[in-house]
Amino acid sequence: MTEQDFADLVRDTKLSQTNRDAARLVLVENMKPIDAAAASGISKQRLNQILTVVRTAEERRNETALLEQVRRGGSASISDSVAVVEASYAVAVKTARDQYGDDTLIQTPNPNGRAVGEIVGRTDFHVVQAVGRSAVVIHDLAKLDRAPAVGRNVAIDYSKGMGVVSDRTKTQDRGGVTR
């Protein structure tokens, strides 16, 4: 990785300068992690955590670039298409964490269950539904009968892995009875 690539990558992370310098020793200078940790005065475990933050940022950047390429009509292989769907999921997770914090419980829908709450985010292939305090369900749009709009309060009932979206009004209780 070049110095410029590294600088671009860590710009939006919340890593301290000391932590960035430690990661740079490994990723730019190709120093062994144990040596970089010692040179930086941090533990090897902490350096591994820092490297995970940087590598996750790199994965997100690559996924976003691939998603943009496909959006602009660029060609994509099957593996690229899978990567685009995975990138969409990653963006959905980021949306949830940006809104509710890093400790947000990210759930997948129960294939024979129900999720009720407001749609708080959407990507090309997923919607994010708030289902409780710091809990969201990320739904695959391909498995829903229709795409619910952001801001709508909906119930999504699954049967055999496919979901049916029903609009809810604010006057409905959990039993679905209108007051």
Side-chain angles (χ1 to χ4, degrees), residues 1 18 25 29-30 59 77 94 120 135 137 140 165 172 177:
M1 178 179 303
T18 300
L25 290 174
E29 304 290 329
N30 295 317
E59 287 174 13
S77 67
K94 183 179 182 330
V120 296
V137 175
D140 184 340
V165 178
Q172 288 180 323
V177 178

Side-chain angles (χ1 to χ4, degrees), residues 28-115:
V28 177
E29 304 290 329
N30 295 317
M31 187 180 282
K32 291 181 182 177
I34 189 118
D35 297 333
S40 301
I42 61 175
S43 70
K44 185 173 185 260
Q45 291 80 8
R46 178 63 186 136
L47 179 57
N48 284 335
Q49 292 171 338
I50 294 164
L51 292 173
T52 297
V53 167
V54 174
R55 288 181 177 131
T56 299
E58 182 178 32
E59 287 174 13
R60 284 186 186 146
R61 182 182 66 179
N62 292 341
E63 289 167 348
T64 301
L66 181 59
L67 191 58
E68 285 302 316
Q69 174 189 350
V70 171
R71 275 191 196 141
R72 288 189 308 262
S75 62
S77 67
I78 291 174
S79 63
D80 285 344
S81 297
V82 170
V84 168
V85 173
E86 289 174 352
S88 172
Y89 184 84
V91 171
V93 169
K94 183 179 182 330
T95 298
R97 290 196 173 133
D98 286 348
Q99 289 186 32
Y100 298 103
D102 288 337
D103 60 343
T104 301
L105 177 61
I106 308 290
Q107 301 173 339
T108 56
N110 179 331
N112 292 305
R114 176 176 235 220

Side-chain angles (χ1 to χ4, degrees), residues 107-115 137-139 156-163:
Q107 301 173 339
T108 56
N110 179 331
N112 292 305
R114 176 176 235 220
V137 175
I138 298 179
H139 302 274
I156 303 177
D157 293 292
Y158 281 88
S159 176
K160 299 179 183 173
M162 298 304 291

